[in-house]
Amino acid sequence: MNPHLRLLNALRTGSKPIMTFLGLPSFRTAQVVAQTGVDAIIIDCEHGHISDDSMHSSTAAIAALGVSPLVRLRGPQADLIKRALDAGAHGIVVPQISTAEEARAVVSHAKFPPQGLRGQGSAFPAIAHGIDVPTYMKTANETILTCVQIETRQGVENVDAICSVHGVDMVFIGPNDLALSMLGYVPAQGSEPEFVGAIKKIVDAARRHGKWVGRLSNNGALCREHLKIFDTVALSYDVRAIQAWYKAELQAVRS
């Protein structure tokens, strides 16, 4: 048990950790969000304004405050996985995984030999894990969270095979892309039988194969409801939080 791995430890004890997304390329934003009480922050290199340099800085800032930094990659490429893990990410979130073959490739690049193909050369991940390099090398394969996003029709069709892949720790539902793929529009109303059925199929597959399962939640009330089913949720996004505060306060001023 490494006390620095806040998200992993919370998942293992079933204490329903709460994450959020970081899309702004700021060391200071990372610090501010990490001090709010969240258990993990997903640094969004897929849709956020996050460069490689910002990803490194944010990872270090978040980990230093006792919160778990995860990195959502632009895709499943080996070099992107390597850079995120070498920066010290406690886990990776890989979007648009639709087949078991894609999931196996992600796992192979996230694990050191003999379980995978990951190369060693960075001193930074040990710092973010609060341990020395030899200890990191011994424990990384068991402690780094490999999370794949199921957000396509094909991914839903193949979810049982994806969840059966050894080394996949968590599946994460991106409800907007899932709705686009299943329904052709966003946001989903949440009552469409096809959409509801897809989410249930993902959750059921994760449970059968002993994987944690999470999803995006837009606000605290939805988080509370979703945590009755899911192991973890991601509470909105830093950009949306800033916009929501200003909109609410401006409405109060002008009403």
Side-chain angles (χ1 to χ4, degrees):
M1 177 75 68
N2 181 347
H4 293 273
L5 303 180
R6 181 165 168 174
L7 177 61
L8 177 63
N9 295 337
L11 288 167
R12 284 176 169 171
T13 59
S15 56
K16 302 288 186 172
I18 298 173
M19 309 182 290
T20 192
F21 278 96
L22 183 77
L24 295 174
S26 168
F27 174 85
R28 295 303 183 192
T29 303
Q31 287 182 313
V32 168
V33 176
Q35 289 183 312
T36 62
V38 295
D39 299 294
I41 297 174
I42 303 171
I43 301 163
D44 191 6
C45 295
E46 183 191 16
H47 294 302
H49 182 194
I50 307 289
S51 66
D52 187 79
D53 181 67
S54 296
M55 181 267 291
H56 264 266
S57 298
S58 296
T59 297
I62 292 163
L65 289 169
V67 176
S68 287
L70 279 71
V71 175
R72 179 160 73 173
L73 309 173
R74 295 193 296 274
Q77 292 85 353
D79 62 323
L80 300 180
I81 294 171
K82 180 193 300 184
R83 291 298 290 167
L85 295 181
D86 279 359
H90 291 188
I92 53 172
V93 181
V94 187
Q96 301 282 334
I97 295 300
S98 297
T99 68
E101 290 75 18
E102 292 172 348
R104 278 192 287 271
V106 167
V107 171
S108 73
H109 295 300
K111 304 285 187 186
F112 289 119
Q115 290 94 333
L117 302 171
R118 181 184 173 194
Q120 191 276 332
S122 174
F124 304 135
I127 297 171
H129 284 65
I131 52 181
D132 57 34
V133 173
T135 303
Y136 178 80
M137 293 299 299
K138 291 177 183 177
T139 59
N141 281 359
E142 302 303 321
T143 56
I144 287 171
L145 284 163
T146 300
C147 175
V148 298
Q149 284 195 227
I150 308 296
E151 49 190 345
T152 65
R153 182 182 294 275
Q154 186 184 14
V156 174
E157 292 170 353
N158 294 323
V159 69
D160 195 73
I162 293 169
C163 287
S164 72
V165 173
H166 182 70
V168 169
D169 302 301
M170 184 192 302
V171 293
F172 188 86
I173 297 173
N176 289 330
D177 279 341
L178 183 63
L180 272 175
S181 182
M182 304 295 294
L183 306 173
Y185 59 85
V186 291
Q189 296 175 3
S191 58
E192 298 91 340
E194 189 175 14
F195 183 72
V196 172
I199 290 177
K200 184 178 186 304
K201 185 174 181 179
I202 295 168
V203 172
D204 289 348
R207 297 286 178 244
R208 274 195 304 275
H209 294 281
K211 312 296 186 185
W212 293 303
V213 58
R215 65 160 292 161
L216 174 70
S217 298
N218 287 330
N219 56 55
L222 285 174
C223 275
R224 181 183 290 272
E225 289 302 308
H226 292 155
L227 285 173
K228 295 175 183 177
I229 299 171
F230 295 87
D231 300 296
T232 182
V233 294
L235 172 58
S236 196
Y237 208 99
D238 59 340
V239 177
R240 292 175 192 148
I242 293 169
Q243 290 176 324
W245 187 89
Y246 273 100
K247 287 178 180 178
E249 296 306 312
L250 287 168
Q251 184 177 9
V253 171
R254 293 166 175 164
S255 61

